[in-house]
Amino acid sequence: MDVMPQQDPESRRPPEPSPHGPYAMPAEGATAVPPPPPTLRTTLRRAAFGAVAAGVLLAGALVAVPDGKDDRPKEPGPVERAEAAATAGSPASLSDLTALIGDRQKWVESHPGDAPSWATLGSAYVEWGRRSADAAYLGRAEEALKRSLEARPGEDGNGEAWVGMAALANARHDFLAARRWGETVREQDPKAWSVYPVLIDAYTGLGDQRAATEATEKFGELRKGVPALARTADLYRSQGWREDALATAREAADRAVAPAEKAEALHRLGELAWERGEPEEAVAQFDAALRTESGHHASLAGKARALVALDRTDEALAAYQSAVTELPRPAYVLELGELYASLGLDGDAQSQYKKLAQLLDQAKAAGVDESLIQARYESDHGDPAVAVELLRGQWKKQHRSAAVADALGWALHRAGTSKEGLEYARQAVATGVRNASYAYHLGVIERELAQYGPARRHLEQALRTNPAFSPLDAPKAREALEALGEPPPGGPGDMQPPPPPAPEPKRESKPEPKPEPTRESPKAEAPAPAPSKTAPAPSKPAPSSPAAVEADASKSP
């Protein structure tokens, strides 16, 4: 199948399913349901000849079968490249992914009982929907995966359809369902390496660092190479191990060969540079990713963020505008709106916020839970009480990642309950992730609660981590830190409040001699009486304990 022109964004979209095809768009989002009960086993065989589809898909990967007529090696086409990427656990290019979708659509129209092909098509739809921010493809993915499981239940060896359902649930931010699907596959086949990436995503979304670590380690045992290195780098990054994350991410970038895989690795290096507060390095890495794969629009958004930090505002606006056109993710639209607001362009900011509301409505209609992004918007630009309600719902669904904890803590503070918000903000920072926004939020909440020592420390941490972490919040962090001022000189010892004054010693009262009324001589001052033997002596300050010093240090301005 020919590769569609790279320069035309519309041509890169997968072909629409035929209206007369064997399936239709689903009316409901159903990733939250448990794995279906077993049905009658269907035995499928598929023999493919010629140039259209030379392969048999086993466990989600199509393996080429030679026809015996020509043993000469052939240059792999886009479908074969996409299949090879899936077999390796790596991303395929958008053009190759488009070709694979078109190929599988055509095949299942004439072979509606081919469970492996339905599973491949469903998983490809999930990947396309995730990378294009087009939630409509998630509905198609669900229907294709259901068709696969109808043709062959997961218990009968169709684990890849279950993996596809787990990936779909992650794309919809339904992490409990993703965990349930993934753990079902793992119980059936612990060595099925393809299940571990979806389990890592599910555990990360649920804030279960221990399970995410174990899944990452197991994935590294079963699947060596760039995919394992990439996942390990992400794990180190989430735990705040910057040096380890950087070294592992560099190794992944050095070893990556395929353009899509290379671009993803370079993008990761750009994100790490941005989080370290190195915008020039971030721009260089994002540019390298875009040169490797021009359709890697996430790198365009990352570049825009870094250009803002370099005061290259016009370039940043152009990059953001292109990014949200090609990849309309709600997070990018919110960032662009806040950039406009920081420049005093309130009308443009409001336009982006309206676009954000439209995207959130579309996501909800497609079964995608974007409560986190919506709550971030409501906390700072809308109704904080709405943000609290949204995030409490996330917390009840066990979505307890650092991102949700930080957002809930901030929303509670903005809604006027800073004391409760403090616990969630602390939890986000305690995960170890080096996120300047998390430290900023915690510092502001502590300042509100008159915990000035910790507030100063966390505001400094935010600006030290990334001095330009947000065009709106970074200036506010500097203002808050300047308002706190410098700590008292001399260290913690001088921060101990002074002891209460000692009581005055009691004096014995004696009647003063009355002067003779006829004498004009000056009055003689009576001598000061001696202190009473029962009066307490002036007290000396007691030495300060370390606990008292720290407690009082948090209250000192």
Side-chain angles (χ1 to χ4, degrees), residues 13 67 116 211 243 273 362 373 438 448 463 480 510 543:
R13 295 173 62 85
D67 57 12
E243 293 77 10
Q362 293 171 10
I373 296 298
Y438 297 176
E448 176 70 18
L463 294 171
K510 294 182 179 180

Side-chain angles (χ1 to χ4, degrees), residues 411-425:
L412 287 164
H413 162 71
R414 295 283 292 173
T417 53
S418 299
K419 188 174 182 180
E420 184 183 1
L422 178 64
E423 298 305 316
Y424 293 100

Side-chain angles (χ1 to χ4, degrees), residues 435-441 456-469 477:
N435 189 301
S437 291
Y438 297 176
Y440 163 70
H441 289 158
R456 183 183 293 107
R457 183 169 65 252
H458 287 117
L459 290 170
E460 288 175 344
Q461 178 183 337
L463 294 171
R464 185 170 58 250
T465 300
N466 186 351
F469 64 91

Side-chain angles (χ1 to χ4, degrees), residues 34-42 115 145-146 148-163 165 180-181 183-189:
T39 60
L40 294 177
R41 179 172 180 174
T42 304
L145 293 166
K146 285 181 176 180
S148 178
L149 290 169
E150 288 172 3
R152 178 187 294 175
E155 294 88 344
D156 292 343
N158 194 6
E160 285 307 307
W162 277 353
V163 172
M165 292 296 279
R180 189 159 54 242
W181 286 107
E183 289 180 348
T184 302
V185 177
R186 186 178 60 185
E187 289 172 5
Q188 181 171 301
D189 185 5

